Amino acid sequence: DVKVTQSSRYLVKRTGEKVFLECVQDMDHENMFWYRQDPGLGLRLIYFSYDVKMKEKGDIPEGYSVSREKKERFSLILESASTNQTSMYLCASIPKLSSGNEQFFGPGTRLTVL
Amino acid sequence: AQSVTQPDIHITVSEGASLELRCNYSYGATPYLFWYVQSPGQGLQLLLKYFSGDTLVQGIKGFEAEFKRSQSSFNLRKPSVHWSDAAEYFCAVGTGFQKLVFGTGTRLLVSP
């Protein structure tokens, strides 16, 4: 079974702090994604990565950056956290040669910024 | 641009009753379509997917969905709902580069 893990289930940070959210997958997937989930808005794509050291902006990249130094790890960085970044963050992965778009999701990190 | 509409924010169904969750998509080509379920505090789990072929697809936990190209719909159904089905359900369409565009979700409540 594919396993996607996220470093924290719950996180509380203060405005202005630098925040790191970590995601690790154990199935050698090339492609990884970061979403945020908000009530009434569904999941929105923040950033994605097709390979090590490669990254692409999604639909809402403002205020975020990412890092992919190793194939299995994809980090989401909030350079200076703000209260409007309070949300559920979900990581997902998929193999490059997948015949479709089925993504495998981690359990999510609920971030609260005070 | 690709989009997915789930018109029902909340649905309440009695345990044992049938269920249909609506999903409409907008996509120029033949779509890849997905239904995911999210239990409280959990990540997303794939229920079923449509790529091509038979327009009625079967998934896990007794769910099925029917792709109707003429209506741009991919509605999710279950003949008899169980209390454990209470969750949030997301419809998604696959786009280029293996990305997904999600609907806003439908929260299912199951009454005794």
Side-chain angles (χ1 to χ4, degrees), chain A residues 9 31 33 35 37 40-43 45 48 50 88 90 94-103 105-108, chain B residues 32 34 36 38 40-46 49 51 88 90 93-105:
Chain A
R9 294 299 302 274
N31 301 346
F33 303 81
Y35 297 89
Q37 180 184 5
L41 298 177
L43 278 74
L45 182 63
F48 57 103
Y50 291 133
M88 170 74 102
L90 291 164
I94 183 173
K96 180 182 288 186
L97 297 180
S98 170
S99 60
N101 294 56
E102 177 186 351
Q103 295 182 8
F105 282 84
Chain B
Y32 294 162
F34 304 80
Y36 282 86
Q38 185 181 36
Q42 303 298 313
L44 272 66
Q45 180 184 20
L46 182 71
K49 58 190 177 187
F51 290 165
E88 190 154 22
F90 292 94
V93 62
T95 68
F97 304 104
Q98 297 186 316
K99 293 194 289 181
L100 292 174
V101 173
F102 286 87
T104 52

Side-chain angles (χ1 to χ4, degrees), chain A:
Chain A
D1 278 353
V2 175
K3 190 167 185 182
V4 180
T5 57
Q6 296 182 228
S7 51
S8 305
R9 294 299 302 274
Y10 300 93
L11 208 53
V12 179
K13 296 292 183 181
R14 296 207 174 273
T15 301
E17 280 192 80
K18 189 169 187 176
V19 181
F20 293 87
L21 303 182
E22 303 284 338
C23 175
V24 177
Q25 48 91 9
D26 66 358
M27 286 300 291
D28 205 35
H29 288 175
E30 289 82 4
N31 301 346
M32 297 185 74
F33 303 81
W34 273 107
Y35 297 89
R36 66 176 282 175
Q37 180 184 5
D38 300 288
L41 298 177
L43 278 74
R44 295 177 291 167
L45 182 63
I46 304 172
Y47 266 97
F48 57 103
S49 169
Y50 291 133
D51 207 340
V52 176
K53 297 192 185 297
M54 294 182 69
K55 60 184 179 183
E56 298 285 341
K57 292 181 179 179
D59 300 318
I60 52 164
E62 296 78 20
Y64 303 94
S65 62
V66 291
S67 173
R68 185 110 182 256
E69 296 297 319
K70 293 184 177 181
K71 190 174 186 179
E72 67 272 15
R73 187 180 299 269
F74 191 34
S75 302
L76 180 69
I77 304 160
L78 288 65
E79 294 290 343
S80 178
S82 64
T83 55
N84 63 13
Q85 292 178 310
T86 292
S87 186
M88 170 74 102
Y89 290 88
L90 291 164
C91 174
S93 73
I94 183 173
K96 180 182 288 186
L97 297 180
S98 170
S99 60
N101 294 56
E102 177 186 351
Q103 295 182 8
F104 298 88
F105 282 84
T109 296
R110 184 165 295 281
L111 172 67
T112 301
V113 182
L114 302 175

